[in-house]
Amino acid sequence: EQELQQQREEEERLEEEERRELAATQVQAARRGQLARRHVSGLRETRAHMRQQQQREEEERLAYEQELQQQREEEERLEEEERRELAATQVQAARRGQLARRHVSGLRETRAHMRQQQQREEEERLAYEQELQQQ
C-alpha cells in the first residue's frame, strides 16, 4: 500500500511536471509569437518607410530632370534668339552696305556728270572767248 501510495505520488508529480512543461511551452510559444509579430511589424514599417523614401527620391529626381529640361529649353531659346538677332544684324548690315555703295555710286556718277558739265561749260566759255577774239 505504501508502494501504491508512492506510485500515485510519483504519477502525480510526473503529471504536475508535464503540466508545468506544457504551460512553460505555451508561454514560450506565446512569447516567440509576440516577438515574431513585432519583428514582422518592424519589417513592414521599414518596408513602408523605404517605399516612402524611394517615392520622395523619385519625385526629387523627376523634379530635377524637369528643371534641367526647362534650363535646356531656355538655353536653346536664348541661343535661337541670339542666332536670329545675329542673322538680322547681318541682313541689316548687308542692306546698309548695299545702300551705302549705291549712294556712293550715285555720288560718283553725279560728280562725274558735274565734271563733264563743268568741262563742257569751260569748253563753251573758251570757244566763246576765242570767238570774241576773232571778231
Side-chain angles (χ1 to χ4, degrees), residues 3-99:
E3 205 172 291
L4 238 108
Q5 181 67 26
Q6 285 178 347
Q7 247 180 353
R8 281 187 209 134
E9 287 175 3
E10 181 65 23
E11 284 176 10
E12 286 176 8
R13 188 185 64 73
L14 288 174
E15 286 176 7
E16 181 63 28
E17 191 176 309
E18 282 179 18
R19 279 193 298 273
R20 286 183 184 177
E21 284 181 15
L22 180 61
T25 301
Q26 289 173 341
V27 167
Q28 290 171 350
R31 181 65 178 152
R32 282 192 300 271
Q34 183 184 35
L35 292 174
R37 286 187 293 279
R38 270 191 204 161
H39 179 72
V40 169
S41 176
L43 290 176
R44 286 182 180 148
E45 287 177 13
T46 300
R47 188 180 307 151
H49 178 72
M50 288 176 67
R51 283 185 188 141
Q52 290 173 348
Q53 181 66 26
Q54 287 174 339
Q55 185 176 357
R56 279 192 298 270
E57 289 173 357
E58 180 66 12
E59 289 170 357
E60 289 174 3
R61 184 188 65 77
L62 289 173
Y64 176 72
E65 287 180 2
Q66 185 177 13
E67 185 179 333
L68 281 178
Q69 182 63 28
Q70 288 172 347
Q71 286 177 354
R72 278 189 225 111
E73 289 172 0
E74 179 66 13
E75 287 174 4
E76 288 173 4
R77 187 189 65 76
L78 291 174
E79 287 174 0
E80 180 62 25
E81 189 175 310
E82 286 176 10
R83 281 192 295 272
R84 287 182 183 190
E85 287 176 6
L86 179 60
T89 301
Q90 290 172 340
V91 168
Q92 291 168 352
R95 181 65 177 151
R96 283 192 302 271
Q98 184 183 35
L99 292 174

